[in-house]
Structure formats: structure tokens, C-alpha cells
Amino acid sequence: MQFALNEDQIAVRDMALAFAAEKIAPHALRWDEEKHFPVDVMREAATLGMGGIYIRDDVGGSAMTRFDAALIFEALATGCPTTSAFISIHNMASWMIDAYGSDAQRQTWLPKLCTMELIASYCLTEPGAGSDAAALRTRAVRDGDTYVLNGQKQFISGAGGTDLLVAMVRTGGDGPGGISTLVIDGKTPGVNYGANERKMGWNAQPTRAVMFENARVPVANRLGEEGIGFKIAMAGLDGGRLNITACSLGGAQTALDKARAYMKERKAFGKRLDEFQALQFRLADMAIELEAARTFLWRAAAALDRKDPDATMLCAMAKRFGTDVGFEVANQALQLHGGYGYLSEYGIEKIVRDLRVHQILEGTNEIMRLIVARKLIEGAR
């Protein structure tokens, strides 16, 4: 069990905090307003090792742990949860290639993914297959040395602005056993993109549908054997859930810090806001919840690193708890700002908008409860 960071972990966290403060935070509101995808800044982060955090070092990865990644993504999210979240998605897609790809595949794609010269999207969700991901219908029919793809993916982060699509497709029959994973060049003929979705938050990264219309993808681009794609997707999501939880905590920590600073300056009824005991108690509860969620995240990350048999359940638990806490703390911070919290210039309303989707993506928090409940019930038999 780990209750304190060692010197190396502190250095990693502080590096990411400094990068967020200098390169991300000053621009986050503008990126949100302009719907700007800050690829140049993300590539700067990659020069510090954040493009392939837990990718093996023989292909240029940083070979760090999931625990390290949790520290990094929380730190980056103090500057902008949206930007941090996309870097986490890129890392998740890259890890799938590292973990399940052949040596030739790893050497082909990962060196440029680690530098973010190439940027990757993760493609699982479809218009009719969200929480029920095993029901996906995008079909890949083998034709000699290629697959011919037809179907549609929905809510794909970075789509249209990324180079590679790590996509789950149906190569066999119904159910999870018929799913395979393909790495697809984003400019392949027959791969088309929908309009950039108009969203509540996460505006600093594009979100589009991806349509496959007789798109031909080499069989050599398949990760592993046919039929293990669902397993690959779910393994990726264990880490993805930790990452998005970390992003929630980073955004919420910034919101809490902004609320504390505001309460020192704002006066009502002749007193500073931080002199009212009721508001002091609210601040205390926000800090307690954040610290509890952070401790839970660390435990789940450590479990995933050591391949604990309960790691999937712990990742689901941490995601449900941490993303709910993150949103609620940010929402309370907005409330403590009163009417000013509703104004974009204070930066709180953006954090609230960005963190809301974390309770939905990487598996909704209802699905997190289902994962936990199934594990508990199976263990009771």
C-alpha cells in the first residue's frame, strides 16, 4: 500500500504541474471558446514523455506505471481537463498497440505515437452500442489480404484531427467473441467524418462520428487474433477509467483552489466569505471528498500495476466515486462564487461543463456499479 509519493513520483507530478501551469492553463478558456484542438501543445507534452507514458521504452515510450499516469493526468487537468483527457485517450489507444501488437506493428506505429507526431483515437462506441459495447455492428469482411469495413462509430474523441483509429469491428458472429481490433489510417479511402459535435464541454477536442464505407484495411493491421478485440477494448478501459478519474480530480482541485482564493477576497454582510463557518464546513467537505477519491485512485492504479485479480473492479469503483466527486466539488465551487461562477472569465463554469461528461464516458457510472455488483455476486457464490 502506498500513502506517500516517493521522490521520483513527486518529480513526475511536479513536471506535469509546471507544464500545465505554463503551457495549458493560460490558454484553456480560449481553446474552449474557439474549439481549438491544441495539437502543438500536446506534442510539447510528448517531448517530456507524456505521449507514451506506459509504453515500453524500446519504441520510445516512457515505461512508467499506471500510478505515474494517474499523477500526470491529474496534474495536466489542473490546467485543462479536456486537454489532459485527450492525451489520456491517445495513451490508451497507443497502449493497446504496445500490449497486443506484433513487434512489426509496434515498431511501425509506436515511435511516432510516443512523440505524438501521429495521434490516435479510440473507436468503440456506435450509435446503437454505447453501454452495450458487445452489440457493436461495424462489420469487417475479409477479402484476401484486406478487410472491407462498413459501419459507423459515434462520439469519437479527436476524430478528423487524428492520424490513426484503433477500432473495434465485427469480424465474426454476434457477441463479444466476434469482435476484432484494427489500426486504421485515418485518411484511408472510405473513412469519412461527421461534423464536429456541439457539446456541453470538452470543446478543446473535436468529437465526430466516423463512417466506414467499403474502406479497405490490411489484415496486417489487426491486433492479435480475430475474436479478441472485445478483450483488448476492455483491458484498455481499465486504465482509461483511472485516467479519466485523475482528470476529474485535477479539474476539481483547480475549482476548489479558485473557490478558496475567491472566498478570501469576497465580502458579504461585513465579513469575508471564508469567515462564515457554514462555508468553511463546505470547503472542508470538498477537500475531504477529493482526498478520499485521490486515495481510492492511487489504490486502484497500484492494483492495476501489480495485475491484482480485483483490479477491474477497483478501477470501476474508483471511476464511479472519483468522477462523481470531481463533478460535485466543481459544482460546489461554482456555487461558492455565486453569480460570478456563472461567468466564463472566472473559469469555473468551464470546469463544471468539462467534468460532467466524465460520469458518462469510459463506461457510464451506472455500468461501473454493474461491474462492481457482478463481481460481488460472483464472489458470494
Side-chain angles (χ1 to χ4, degrees), residues 15 44-54 60-64 72 91 114:
M15 173 197 67
E44 283 191 66
T47 66
L48 300 175
M50 292 184 268
I53 295 170
Y54 35 81
S62 298
M64 290 193 278
I72 289 169
N91 270 268
C114 289

Side-chain angles (χ1 to χ4, degrees), residues 167-300:
M168 273 46 70
V169 298
R170 189 163 299 285
T171 54
D174 293 341
I179 297 171
S180 300
T181 302
L182 299 180
V183 180
I184 303 166
D185 185 325
K187 294 182 175 62
T188 299
V191 176
N192 301 297
Y193 301 95
N196 190 6
E197 302 285 2
R198 298 175 62 187
K199 308 186 296 288
M200 176 179 175
W202 269 32
N203 290 317
Q205 56 169 281
T207 302
R208 293 183 173 91
V210 181
M211 286 80 72
F212 301 108
E213 299 174 8
N214 294 319
R216 287 187 171 269
V217 178
V219 171
N221 287 26
R222 188 187 67 224
L223 298 181
E225 299 301 317
E226 281 196 356
I228 68 166
F230 192 75
K231 172 187 173 183
I232 294 174
M234 294 303 104
L237 283 175
D238 279 345
R241 286 163 184 161
L242 296 180
N243 295 347
I244 211 64
T245 302
C247 292
S248 289
L249 302 186
Q253 185 65 58
T254 292
L256 175 58
D257 293 342
K258 286 178 178 289
R260 289 170 56 203
Y262 178 79
M263 290 169 66
K264 287 182 180 296
E265 300 171 358
R266 176 72 171 176
K267 287 187 176 181
F269 307 104
K271 296 168 62 177
R272 295 198 322 263
L273 293 187
D274 64 359
E275 295 179 300
F276 289 92
Q277 189 178 64
L279 300 185
Q280 292 173 358
F281 284 3
R282 187 179 298 189
L283 275 181
D285 284 341
M286 292 159 69
I288 291 166
E289 293 289 300
L290 264 182
E291 194 59 40
R294 185 174 293 116
T295 302
F296 205 158
L297 172 64
W298 289 7
R299 183 182 177 209

